[in-house]
Coordinates of all heavy atoms in Angstrom, one line a residue:
M54 N 0.8 -1.2 0.0 CA 0.0 0.0 0.0 C 0.9 1.2 0.0 O 1.9 1.3 0.7 CB -0.9 0.0 1.2 CG -1.8 1.1 1.3 SD -3.0 0.9 2.7 CE -3.3 2.5 3.1
A55 N 0.6 2.2 -0.8 CA 1.4 3.4 -0.9 C 1.1 4.4 0.3 O 0.1 4.3 0.9 CB 1.0 4.2 -2.2
D56 N 2.1 5.2 0.6 CA 1.9 6.1 1.6 C 0.8 7.1 1.3 O 0.6 7.5 0.1 CB 3.2 6.9 1.8 CG 4.3 6.1 2.6 OD1 3.9 5.1 3.3 OD2 5.5 6.4 2.4
R57 N 0.1 7.6 2.3 CA -1.0 8.5 2.1 C -0.6 9.9 2.3 O -1.4 10.8 2.3 CB -2.2 8.1 3.0 CG -2.8 6.8 2.6 CD -4.0 6.4 3.4 NE -5.0 7.4 3.3 CZ -6.1 7.4 2.5 NH1 -6.2 6.4 1.6 NH2 -7.0 8.3 2.6
Y58 N 0.7 10.2 2.6 CA 1.2 11.5 2.8 C 2.7 11.6 2.5 O 3.4 10.6 2.5 CB 0.9 12.0 4.2 CG 1.7 11.2 5.3 CD1 2.9 11.7 5.7 CD2 1.2 10.1 5.8 CE1 3.7 11.0 6.6 CE2 1.9 9.4 6.8 CZ 3.1 9.8 7.2 OH 3.8 9.1 8.1
E59 N 3.2 12.8 2.2 CA 4.6 13.0 2.0 C 4.9 14.5 2.4 O 4.1 15.4 2.2 CB 5.1 12.8 0.6 CG 4.4 13.6 -0.5 CD 4.8 13.3 -1.9 OE1 5.2 12.1 -2.1 OE2 4.8 14.2 -2.7
Y60 N 6.0 14.7 3.1 CA 6.4 16.0 3.5 C 6.9 16.8 2.3 O 7.6 16.3 1.4 CB 7.5 15.9 4.5 CG 7.0 15.5 5.9 CD1 7.0 14.2 6.2 CD2 6.5 16.4 6.8 CE1 6.5 13.8 7.5 CE2 6.0 16.1 8.0 CZ 6.0 14.7 8.3 OH 5.5 14.3 9.6
V61 N 6.6 18.1 2.3 CA 6.9 19.0 1.2 C 7.8 20.1 1.7 O 7.4 20.8 2.7 CB 5.7 19.6 0.5 CG1 6.0 20.5 -0.6 CG2 4.8 18.4 0.0
P62 N 8.9 20.5 1.1 CA 9.7 21.6 1.6 C 8.9 22.9 1.3 O 8.2 23.0 0.3 CB 11.0 21.6 0.8 CG 10.7 20.7 -0.4 CD 9.6 19.8 0.0
H63 N 9.1 23.9 2.2 CA 8.4 25.2 2.0 C 9.3 26.3 2.6 O 9.9 26.1 3.6 CB 7.0 25.1 2.7 CG 6.1 26.2 2.3 ND1 6.2 27.5 2.8 CD2 5.1 26.3 1.4 CE1 5.3 28.3 2.3 NE2 4.6 27.5 1.4
P64 N 9.4 27.4 1.9 CA 10.3 28.5 2.4 C 9.8 29.1 3.7 O 10.7 29.8 4.4 CB 10.2 29.5 1.3 CG 9.0 29.2 0.5 CD 8.7 27.8 0.7
L65 N 8.6 28.9 4.2 CA 8.1 29.5 5.4 C 8.2 28.6 6.6 O 7.7 28.9 7.7 CB 6.7 30.1 5.2 CG 6.6 31.3 4.3 CD1 5.1 31.7 4.1 CD2 7.4 32.4 4.8
L66 N 8.7 27.4 6.4 CA 8.8 26.4 7.6 C 9.6 27.1 8.7 O 10.6 27.8 8.5 CB 9.5 25.2 7.1 CG 8.7 24.2 6.4 CD1 9.6 23.0 5.9 CD2 7.6 23.6 7.2
R67 N 9.0 26.9 9.9 CA 9.6 27.5 11.2 C 9.5 29.0 11.2 O 10.2 29.6 12.0 CB 11.0 27.0 11.4 CG 11.2 25.5 11.5 CD 10.5 25.0 12.7 NE 10.7 23.6 12.8 CZ 10.0 22.8 13.6 NH1 9.1 23.3 14.3 NH2 10.2 21.5 13.6
H68 N 8.7 29.6 10.4 CA 8.4 31.1 10.4 C 7.0 31.3 10.9 O 6.1 30.5 10.8 CB 8.6 31.7 9.1 CG 10.1 31.7 8.6 ND1 11.0 32.6 9.0 CD2 10.8 30.8 7.9 CE1 12.2 32.3 8.5 NE2 12.1 31.2 7.8
Q69 N 6.8 32.6 11.4 CA 5.4 33.0 11.8 C 4.6 33.2 10.5 O 5.0 33.9 9.6 CB 5.5 34.2 12.6 CG 6.1 34.0 14.0 CD 5.3 33.1 14.8 OE1 4.1 33.2 15.0 NE2 5.9 32.0 15.4
V70 N 3.4 32.6 10.5 CA 2.5 32.8 9.4 C 1.1 33.1 9.9 O 0.8 32.9 11.1 CB 2.4 31.5 8.5 CG1 3.8 31.2 7.8 CG2 2.0 30.3 9.3
R71 N 0.2 33.5 9.0 CA -1.2 33.7 9.3 C -2.0 32.9 8.4 O -1.8 32.8 7.2 CB -1.6 35.2 9.1 CG -3.0 35.5 9.3 CD -3.3 37.0 9.0 NE -2.6 37.9 9.9 CZ -1.5 38.6 9.5 NH1 -1.2 38.7 8.2 NH2 -0.9 39.4 10.3
D72 N -3.1 32.2 8.9 CA -4.1 31.5 8.1 C -5.1 32.6 7.7 O -5.8 33.1 8.6 CB -4.7 30.4 9.0 CG -5.9 29.7 8.3 OD1 -6.0 29.8 7.0 OD2 -6.7 29.2 9.0
V73 N -5.1 32.9 6.5 CA -6.0 34.0 6.0 C -7.5 33.6 6.2 O -8.4 34.4 6.3 CB -5.7 34.5 4.6 CG1 -4.4 35.1 4.5 CG2 -5.9 33.3 3.6
A74 N -7.8 32.3 6.2 CA -9.2 31.8 6.3 C -9.7 32.1 7.7 O -10.9 32.5 7.9 CB -9.3 30.4 6.0
S75 N -8.9 31.9 8.7 CA -9.4 32.1 10.1 C -8.8 33.3 10.8 O -9.3 33.7 11.9 CB -9.0 30.8 10.9 OG -7.6 30.7 11.1
G76 N -7.7 33.8 10.3 CA -7.0 34.9 10.9 C -6.0 34.5 12.0 O -5.4 35.4 12.6
V77 N -5.9 33.3 12.3 CA -5.0 32.8 13.4 C -3.6 32.8 12.9 O -3.3 32.4 11.8 CB -5.5 31.4 13.8 CG1 -4.5 30.8 14.9 CG2 -6.9 31.4 14.3
E78 N -2.7 33.3 13.8 CA -1.3 33.3 13.5 C -0.6 32.2 14.3 O -1.0 31.8 15.4 CB -0.7 34.6 13.8 CG -1.2 35.7 13.0 CD -0.6 37.1 13.3 OE1 0.3 37.2 14.1 OE2 -1.1 38.1 12.7
G79 N 0.5 31.7 13.8 CA 1.3 30.7 14.5 C 2.6 30.4 13.7 O 2.9 31.0 12.7
E80 N 3.3 29.3 14.1 CA 4.5 28.9 13.5 C 4.2 27.7 12.5 O 3.5 26.8 12.9 CB 5.5 28.4 14.5 CG 6.8 28.0 13.9 CD 7.8 27.5 15.0 OE1 7.5 27.6 16.2 OE2 8.9 27.0 14.6
L81 N 4.6 27.9 11.3 CA 4.4 26.8 10.3 C 5.3 25.6 10.6 O 6.6 25.7 10.6 CB 4.7 27.3 8.9 CG 4.6 26.3 7.7 CD1 3.1 25.8 7.7 CD2 5.0 26.9 6.4
M82 N 4.7 24.5 11.0 CA 5.5 23.3 11.4 C 5.8 22.4 10.3 O 6.8 21.7 10.3 CB 4.7 22.6 12.6 CG 4.4 23.5 13.8 SD 5.8 24.3 14.5 CE 6.7 22.9 15.1
A83 N 4.9 22.2 9.4 CA 5.1 21.2 8.3 C 4.1 21.6 7.1 O 3.0 22.2 7.4 CB 4.8 19.8 8.8
V84 N 4.5 21.1 6.0 CA 3.6 21.1 4.8 C 3.6 19.7 4.3 O 4.7 19.1 4.1 CB 4.1 22.1 3.7 CG1 3.2 22.0 2.5 CG2 4.1 23.5 4.2
I85 N 2.4 19.1 4.2 CA 2.3 17.7 3.8 C 1.4 17.6 2.7 O 0.3 18.1 2.6 CB 1.8 16.9 5.0 CG1 2.8 17.0 6.2 CG2 1.5 15.5 4.7 CD1 2.4 16.3 7.4
N86 N 1.8 16.8 1.7 CA 0.9 16.4 0.5 C 0.2 15.2 1.0 O 0.8 14.1 1.2 CB 1.8 16.2 -0.7 CG 1.0 16.1 -2.0 OD1 -0.2 16.5 -2.0 ND2 1.5 15.5 -3.0
E87 N -1.1 15.3 1.2 CA -1.8 14.3 1.9 C -3.0 13.8 1.0 O -3.7 14.5 0.4 CB -2.4 14.8 3.2 CG -2.8 13.8 4.2 CD -3.1 14.5 5.5 OE1 -2.4 15.5 5.9 OE2 -3.9 14.0 6.2
D88 N -3.2 12.4 1.0 CA -4.3 11.8 0.3 C -5.5 11.9 1.2 O -5.5 11.2 2.2 CB -4.0 10.4 -0.1 CG -5.1 9.7 -0.8 OD1 -6.1 10.3 -1.2 OD2 -5.0 8.5 -1.0
V89 N -6.5 12.7 0.9 CA -7.6 12.9 1.8 C -8.8 12.1 1.3 O -9.9 12.3 1.9 CB -8.0 14.4 1.9 CG1 -6.8 15.2 2.6 CG2 -8.3 15.0 0.6
S90 N -8.6 11.3 0.4 CA -9.7 10.5 -0.2 C -10.0 9.3 0.7 O -9.1 8.6 1.3 CB -9.4 10.0 -1.6 OG -10.3 9.1 -2.1
N91 N -11.3 8.9 0.8 CA -11.7 7.7 1.5 C -12.1 6.6 0.5 O -12.6 5.6 0.8 CB -12.9 8.0 2.4 CG -12.6 8.8 3.6 OD1 -11.4 8.7 4.0 ND2 -13.5 9.5 4.1
S92 N -11.9 6.9 -0.8 CA -12.2 5.9 -1.8 C -10.9 5.4 -2.5 O -9.8 5.7 -2.1 CB -13.1 6.6 -2.9 OG -12.4 7.5 -3.6
A93 N -11.1 4.6 -3.5 CA -10.0 4.0 -4.2 C -9.3 5.0 -5.1 O -8.2 4.8 -5.5 CB -10.5 2.8 -5.1
H94 N -10.0 6.1 -5.4 CA -9.4 7.2 -6.2 C -8.7 8.2 -5.3 O -9.4 8.9 -4.6 CB -10.4 7.8 -7.1 CG -11.2 6.9 -7.9 ND1 -10.6 6.1 -8.9 CD2 -12.5 6.5 -7.9 CE1 -11.5 5.3 -9.5 NE2 -12.7 5.6 -8.9
P95 N -7.4 8.4 -5.4 CA -6.7 9.3 -4.5 C -7.1 10.8 -4.9 O -7.3 11.1 -6.0 CB -5.2 9.0 -4.8 CG -5.2 8.4 -6.1 CD -6.5 7.7 -6.3
H96 N -7.1 11.6 -3.8 CA -7.3 13.0 -3.9 C -6.2 13.7 -3.1 O -6.3 13.7 -1.8 CB -8.7 13.4 -3.5 CG -8.9 14.9 -3.6 ND1 -9.1 15.5 -4.8 CD2 -9.0 15.9 -2.7 CE1 -9.3 16.8 -4.6 NE2 -9.2 17.0 -3.3
W97 N -5.1 14.2 -3.7 CA -4.0 14.7 -3.0 C -4.2 16.2 -2.8 O -4.5 17.0 -3.7 CB -2.7 14.4 -3.7 CG -2.4 13.0 -3.8 CD1 -2.8 12.1 -4.7 CD2 -1.6 12.3 -2.8 NE1 -2.3 10.8 -4.3 CE2 -1.5 10.9 -3.2 CE3 -0.9 12.7 -1.7 CZ2 -0.9 10.0 -2.5 CZ3 -0.2 11.7 -1.0 CH2 -0.2 10.4 -1.4
V98 N -3.9 16.7 -1.5 CA -4.0 18.1 -1.2 C -2.8 18.5 -0.3 O -2.4 17.7 0.5 CB -5.3 18.3 -0.3 CG1 -5.4 19.7 0.1 CG2 -6.5 17.9 -1.1
E99 N -2.3 19.7 -0.6 CA -1.2 20.2 0.2 C -1.7 20.9 1.4 O -2.4 21.9 1.3 CB -0.2 21.1 -0.6 CG 0.7 20.3 -1.5 CD 1.8 21.1 -2.0 OE1 1.9 22.4 -1.8 OE2 2.7 20.6 -2.7
L100 N -1.4 20.4 2.6 CA -1.9 21.0 3.8 C -0.8 21.6 4.6 O 0.3 21.0 4.7 CB -2.6 20.0 4.7 CG -3.9 19.4 4.1 CD1 -4.4 18.3 5.0 CD2 -5.0 20.4 3.9
A101 N -1.0 22.8 5.2 CA 0.0 23.4 6.1 C -0.5 23.2 7.5 O -1.6 23.3 7.9 CB 0.0 24.9 5.8
Y102 N 0.5 22.7 8.3 CA 0.2 22.5 9.7 C 0.9 23.6 10.5 O 2.1 23.8 10.5 CB 0.7 21.1 10.2 CG -0.1 20.0 9.7 CD1 0.0 19.5 8.4 CD2 -1.2 19.5 10.5 CE1 -0.8 18.5 7.9 CE2 -2.0 18.5 10.0 CZ -1.8 18.0 8.7 OH -2.6 17.0 8.3
I103 N 0.0 24.4 11.3 CA 0.5 25.5 12.0 C 0.3 25.3 13.5 O -0.8 24.8 13.9 CB -0.3 26.8 11.6 CG1 -0.1 27.0 10.1 CG2 0.1 28.0 12.4 CD1 -1.1 28.0 9.5
R104 N 1.3 25.7 14.3 CA 1.1 25.6 15.8 C 0.7 27.0 16.2 O 1.4 28.0 16.1 CB 2.4 25.2 16.5 CG 2.2 25.1 18.0 CD 3.4 24.6 18.8 NE 4.6 25.3 18.4 CZ 5.8 24.7 18.4 NH1 5.9 23.4 18.7 NH2 6.8 25.4 18.1
G105 N -0.6 27.1 16.7 CA -1.2 28.4 17.1 C -0.7 28.8 18.4 O 0.1 28.2 19.1
P106 N -1.2 30.0 18.9 CA -0.7 30.5 20.2 C -1.0 29.6 21.4 O -0.4 29.7 22.4 CB -1.5 31.9 20.3 CG -2.4 32.0 19.1 CD -2.1 30.8 18.2
S107 N -2.1 28.8 21.3 CA -2.4 27.9 22.4 C -1.5 26.7 22.5 O -1.5 25.9 23.4 CB -3.8 27.4 22.2 OG -3.9 26.5 21.0
G108 N -0.6 26.5 21.4 CA 0.2 25.3 21.4 C -0.3 24.2 20.6 O 0.4 23.2 20.2
R109 N -1.6 24.3 20.2 CA -2.3 23.2 19.5 C -2.0 23.4 18.0 O -2.0 24.6 17.5 CB -3.7 23.2 19.7 CG -4.0 22.8 21.2 CD -5.5 22.6 21.5 NE -5.9 21.4 20.8 CZ -7.2 21.0 20.8 NH1 -8.1 21.6 21.5 NH2 -7.5 19.9 20.2
K110 N -1.9 22.4 17.2 CA -1.6 22.5 15.8 C -3.0 22.3 15.1 O -3.9 21.6 15.5 CB -0.7 21.4 15.3 CG 0.7 21.5 15.8 CD 1.6 20.4 15.3 CE 2.9 20.5 16.0 NZ 3.7 19.3 15.8
F111 N -3.1 23.1 14.0 CA -4.2 23.0 13.1 C -3.8 23.0 11.7 O -2.6 23.4 11.4 CB -5.3 24.1 13.4 CG -4.8 25.5 13.0 CD1 -5.0 26.0 11.8 CD2 -4.0 26.2 13.9 CE1 -4.6 27.3 11.5 CE2 -3.6 27.4 13.6 CZ -3.8 28.0 12.4
S112 N -4.6 22.5 10.8 CA -4.2 22.5 9.3 C -5.1 23.4 8.5 O -6.2 23.7 8.9 CB -4.3 21.0 8.8 OG -5.7 20.6 8.9
T113 N -4.5 23.8 7.4 CA -5.2 24.7 6.5 C -4.6 24.5 5.1 O -3.5 23.9 5.0 CB -5.2 26.2 6.9 OG1 -6.0 26.9 6.0 CG2 -3.7 26.7 6.8
A114 N -5.2 24.9 4.1 CA -4.7 24.8 2.7 C -3.4 25.7 2.6 O -3.3 26.8 3.2 CB -5.7 25.2 1.7
V115 N -2.4 25.2 1.9 CA -1.1 25.9 1.8 C -1.4 27.3 1.2 O -0.8 28.3 1.5 CB -0.1 25.1 0.9 CG1 1.1 26.0 0.6 CG2 0.3 23.9 1.7
D116 N -2.4 27.4 0.3 CA -2.7 28.7 -0.4 C -3.2 29.7 0.6 O -3.3 30.9 0.3 CB -3.6 28.5 -1.5 CG -3.0 27.8 -2.7 OD1 -1.8 27.7 -2.8 OD2 -3.7 27.2 -3.5
N117 N -3.6 29.3 1.8 CA -4.2 30.1 2.8 C -3.2 30.8 3.8 O -3.6 31.5 4.7 CB -5.3 29.4 3.7 CG -6.5 29.2 2.9 OD1 -6.8 29.7 1.9 ND2 -7.4 28.4 3.5
I118 N -1.9 30.4 3.6 CA -0.9 31.0 4.6 C -0.2 32.1 3.9 O 0.1 32.2 2.7 CB 0.0 29.9 5.1 CG1 0.9 29.3 3.9 CG2 -0.7 28.8 5.9 CD1 2.0 28.4 4.4
Q119 N 0.2 33.1 4.8 CA 1.0 34.2 4.4 C 1.9 34.5 5.6 O 1.6 34.3 6.8 CB 0.2 35.4 4.0 CG -0.7 36.0 5.0 CD -1.5 37.2 4.6 OE1 -1.9 37.9 5.4 NE2 -1.7 37.3 3.3
S120 N 3.1 35.0 5.3 CA 4.1 35.4 6.3 C 3.6 36.6 7.1 O 3.0 37.5 6.6 CB 5.4 35.7 5.6 OG 6.4 36.1 6.6
T121 N 3.9 36.6 8.4 CA 3.6 37.7 9.2 C 4.8 38.5 9.5 O 4.8 39.6 10.1 CB 3.0 37.3 10.6 OG1 3.9 36.5 11.3 CG2 1.7 36.6 10.4
E122 N 6.0 38.1 9.0 CA 7.3 38.7 9.3 C 7.6 39.6 8.1 O 7.4 39.3 6.9 CB 8.4 37.7 9.4 CG 8.1 36.7 10.6 CD 9.1 35.6 10.6 OE1 9.8 35.4 9.6 OE2 9.1 34.8 11.6
L123 N 8.1 40.8 8.4 CA 8.5 41.7 7.4 C 9.9 41.3 6.9 O 10.8 41.0 7.7 CB 8.6 43.2 7.9 CG 7.2 43.8 8.2 CD1 7.5 45.2 8.8 CD2 6.4 43.9 7.0
R124 N 10.1 41.4 5.6 CA 11.4 41.1 5.1 C 12.2 42.4 5.1 O 11.6 43.5 5.2 CB 11.3 40.7 3.6 CG 10.6 39.3 3.5 CD 10.6 38.8 2.1 NE 9.8 37.6 2.0 CZ 8.6 37.5 1.3 NH1 8.2 38.5 0.7 NH2 8.0 36.4 1.4
P125 N 13.5 42.4 5.1 CA 14.3 43.6 5.3 C 14.0 44.7 4.2 O 14.1 45.9 4.5 CB 15.8 43.1 5.1 CG 15.7 41.7 5.4 CD 14.4 41.2 5.1
S126 N 13.6 44.3 3.0 CA 13.3 45.3 2.0 C 11.9 45.8 2.1 O 11.5 46.8 1.4 CB 13.4 44.7 0.6 OG 12.5 43.6 0.5
Q127 N 11.1 45.3 3.1 CA 9.7 45.8 3.2 C 9.6 46.8 4.4 O 10.4 46.8 5.3 CB 8.7 44.6 3.6 CG 8.6 43.6 2.5 CD 7.7 42.5 2.9 OE1 7.8 42.0 4.0 NE2 6.8 42.0 2.0
S128 N 8.6 47.6 4.3 CA 8.4 48.5 5.4 C 6.9 48.4 5.8 O 6.1 47.7 5.1 CB 8.6 50.0 5.0 OG 7.7 50.4 4.0
A129 N 6.6 48.9 6.9 CA 5.2 48.8 7.4 C 4.2 49.5 6.5 O 3.1 49.2 6.4 CB 5.1 49.3 8.8
W130 N 4.7 50.6 5.9 CA 3.8 51.4 5.0 C 4.4 51.4 3.6 O 5.6 51.6 3.4 CB 3.7 52.8 5.5 CG 3.1 52.9 6.8 CD1 3.8 53.0 8.0 CD2 1.7 52.9 7.1 NE1 2.9 53.0 9.1 CE2 1.6 53.0 8.5 CE3 0.6 52.8 6.4 CZ2 0.4 53.0 9.2 CZ3 -0.6 52.8 7.0 CH2 -0.7 52.9 8.4
P131 N 3.5 51.2 2.6 CA 4.1 51.2 1.2 C 4.4 52.6 0.8 O 3.8 53.6 1.2 CB 2.9 50.7 0.3 CG 1.7 50.9 1.2 CD 2.1 50.8 2.6
A132 N 5.5 52.8 0.0 CA 5.9 54.1 -0.4 C 5.0 54.6 -1.5 O 4.5 53.8 -2.3 CB 7.3 54.0 -1.0
P133 N 4.6 55.9 -1.5 CA 3.7 56.4 -2.5 C 4.4 56.5 -3.8 O 5.6 56.6 -3.9 CB 3.4 57.8 -2.0 CG 4.5 58.2 -1.1 CD 5.0 56.9 -0.5
A134 N 3.7 56.3 -4.9 CA 4.2 56.4 -6.2 C 4.7 57.8 -6.5 O 4.1 58.8 -6.1 CB 3.2 56.0 -7.2
E135 N 5.9 57.9 -7.1 CA 6.4 59.2 -7.3 C 5.6 60.1 -8.3 O 5.6 61.3 -8.2 CB 7.9 59.1 -7.9 CG 8.8 58.5 -6.9 CD 10.2 58.4 -7.4 OE1 10.6 59.2 -8.3 OE2 11.0 57.6 -6.9
S136 N 4.9 59.5 -9.2 CA 4.1 60.3 -10.2 C 2.8 60.8 -9.6 O 2.2 61.6 -10.2 CB 3.8 59.4 -11.4 OG 3.0 58.3 -11.0
Q137 N 2.4 60.3 -8.4 CA 1.2 60.8 -7.8 C 1.4 61.8 -6.7 O 2.3 61.6 -5.9 CB 0.4 59.6 -7.2 CG -0.1 58.6 -8.2 CD -0.8 57.4 -7.6 OE1 -0.6 57.2 -6.4 NE2 -1.6 56.8 -8.3
A138 N 0.7 62.9 -6.7 CA 0.8 63.9 -5.7 C 0.0 63.4 -4.5 O -1.1 62.7 -4.7 CB 0.3 65.2 -6.2
P139 N 0.4 63.6 -3.3 CA -0.4 63.3 -2.1 C -1.8 63.9 -2.2 O -2.0 64.9 -2.8 CB 0.3 63.8 -0.9 CG 1.7 64.0 -1.4 CD 1.6 64.3 -2.9
S140 N -2.8 63.2 -1.7 CA -4.2 63.6 -1.8 C -4.5 65.0 -1.2 O -5.4 65.6 -1.6 CB -5.1 62.6 -1.2 OG -4.8 62.4 0.2
W141 N -3.6 65.4 -0.3 CA -3.9 66.7 0.4 C -3.4 67.9 -0.4 O -3.6 69.0 -0.1 CB -3.3 66.7 1.8 CG -1.9 66.3 1.9 CD1 -1.4 65.0 2.1 CD2 -0.7 67.0 1.7 NE1 -0.1 64.9 2.1 CE2 0.4 66.2 1.8 CE3 -0.5 68.4 1.4 CZ2 1.7 66.6 1.7 CZ3 0.9 68.8 1.3 CH2 1.9 67.9 1.4
Q142 N -2.6 67.6 -1.5 CA -2.1 68.7 -2.3 C -3.0 68.9 -3.5 O -3.6 68.0 -4.1 CB -0.7 68.3 -2.9 CG 0.4 68.4 -1.8 CD 1.7 68.1 -2.4 OE1 1.8 67.6 -3.6 NE2 2.8 68.4 -1.7
S143 N -3.2 70.2 -3.8 CA -4.0 70.5 -5.0 C -3.2 70.4 -6.3 O -2.0 70.6 -6.2 CB -4.7 71.9 -4.9 OG -3.6 72.8 -4.8
V144 N -3.8 70.0 -7.4 CA -3.0 69.8 -8.6 C -3.0 71.1 -9.4 O -3.9 71.9 -9.5 CB -3.6 68.7 -9.4 CG1 -2.9 68.5 -10.7 CG2 -3.6 67.4 -8.6

């Protein structure tokens, strides 16, 4: 019988992430390609396993996770486009 799961490498492993579906943040512990089918026909889904603030792990679709950490090139506020005047200035 074939394995029903396999671990998948992911760049956010061991980093703080947010599940956009629930809004819960935590540490990404694993990404697993898992056969979630109960029939003879396999249905493979990539699931992200996150350890939330309570210490309990939960799963969500990999597409639902985003990093909560700022990268060095990012700032908290996006820079305004140079071609646009601020809204408080008259044109």
Side-chain angles (χ1 to χ4, degrees):
M54 182 171 147
D56 285 337
R57 294 184 56 95
Y58 65 92
E59 61 183 28
Y60 286 89
V61 177
H63 195 279
L65 293 176
L66 281 174
R67 302 291 183 198
H68 291 275
Q69 291 296 310
V70 296
R71 175 181 302 109
D72 172 22
V73 296
S75 67
V77 177
E78 296 181 7
E80 182 180 356
L81 180 61
M82 303 304 293
V84 174
I85 298 177
N86 192 19
E87 199 167 328
D88 179 9
V89 295
S90 173
N91 288 332
S92 67
H94 305 297
H96 180 74
W97 292 88
V98 177
E99 282 192 358
L100 295 174
Y102 285 85
I103 301 169
R104 183 172 50 211
S107 67
R109 296 184 69 177
K110 293 180 188 166
F111 66 96
S112 63
T113 188
V115 170
D116 292 339
N117 285 348
I118 61 171
Q119 61 182 203
S120 176
T121 61
E122 300 170 351
L123 291 177
R124 296 185 186 115
S126 63
Q127 293 177 321
S128 66
W130 298 96
E135 290 182 27
S136 62
Q137 294 178 336
S140 60
W141 49 267
Q142 289 182 345
S143 61
V144 179

